[in-house]
Amino acid sequence: GGAERPDSGELVLAGESLPLGDPKAMRDRGVAVMYQDPMLVKTMSVGENIALGHEGAKWFGVLVPLQEGDLSDLVKRVLGDDVRLDDRVGELSLVDQQLVAMARGVFEKAQLFVMDEPTAALGEVEVKRIFAVIRELVKGGSSVLFISHRLKEVQEIADRIAVLRDGRLVFVGEGATLSTHDLTNLIA
């Protein structure tokens, strides 16, 4: 989330300018970023990856551990029945690793999920799993910025489409109004 400092521009969420170039500050402001290669610790468990950086909360100076039941419910909701809290992330499929990254955003109560090419290395069945979770996130009130070169996927999942070409915004509009041909011409 904001790992690279921009040359110019600004990101505004709910009327508030976000601190670009500071991933922790972005997370603290409700922004979760997922990359094509999920930023997870492969030697740690699913639960440890989701809670990383949030191992407990201080209550009158005493560290209170996270509730394992809450994490189990979250994992079941986002990843389904086949992945457990104590499964090692490095042994999961790529789609399950992507879903762990999404679950971490849900756990952090993210308002905005920035997904940078999350489906680039996935097949059609795996993409459907990612899209199902995206739809649930949106239904729950979160926003999703889905970045992809797979135009059919963009058309399927996006309510609105923004096209950048050579670092400039060349189009913003409703996703349903663009044909694949029109979209191809805008990015060419």
Side-chain angles (χ1 to χ4, degrees):
E4 298 291 327
R5 284 207 185 274
D7 296 328
S8 63
E10 161 179 52
L11 181 59
V12 178
L13 178 64
E16 182 181 345
S17 185
L18 297 175
L20 299 176
D22 185 346
K24 182 180 180 333
M26 293 282 280
R27 279 191 310 276
D28 291 345
R29 297 266 179 62
V31 179
V33 179
M34 280 137 275
Y35 301 95
Q36 180 175 341
D37 181 22
M39 302 293 286
L40 302 169
V41 181
K42 308 286 194 233
T43 58
M44 292 173 67
S45 72
V46 168
E48 290 168 328
N49 269 279
I50 292 171
L52 193 61
H54 304 277
E55 287 75 13
K58 288 201 175 183
W59 187 258
F60 294 105
V62 177
L63 191 64
V64 178
L66 294 170
Q67 298 300 311
E68 190 171 303
D70 294 342
L71 283 177
S72 291
D73 291 345
L74 172 63
V75 167
K76 188 172 192 164
R77 212 170 62 236
V78 176
L79 285 107
D81 294 322
D82 295 334
V83 176
R84 294 184 332 269
L85 207 54
D86 60 350
D87 287 347
R88 189 168 311 282
V89 165
E91 296 171 2
L92 299 178
S93 67
L94 180 57
V95 69
D96 284 334
Q97 290 180 30
Q98 287 289 12
L99 292 171
V100 169
M102 293 170 83
R104 182 171 45 205
V106 172
F107 178 76
E108 294 175 343
K109 297 179 177 33
Q111 302 167 39
L112 172 63
F113 288 77
V114 179
M115 300 181 178
D116 187 4
E117 298 279 357
T119 60
L122 301 178
E124 189 175 326
V125 171
E126 292 89 0
V127 170
K128 286 181 182 189
R129 287 184 64 198
I130 296 288
F131 282 7
V133 174
I134 289 174
R135 288 184 180 101
E136 287 301 313
L137 291 172
V138 171
K139 194 181 335 177
S142 295
S143 297
V144 176
L145 176 59
F146 183 82
I147 302 163
S148 181
H149 66 279
R150 291 181 167 182
L151 303 184
K152 289 193 184 299
E153 288 180 11
V154 171
Q155 289 175 297
E156 179 181 341
I157 198 67
D159 295 326
R160 294 182 52 78
I161 295 176
V163 177
L164 298 173
R165 185 176 55 231
D166 299 325
R168 302 214 184 286
L169 184 64
V170 296
F171 175 83
V172 176
E174 301 301 315
T177 64
L178 284 178
S179 69
T180 304
H181 177 74
D182 293 337
L183 195 50
T184 302
N185 286 338
L186 284 168
I187 65 172

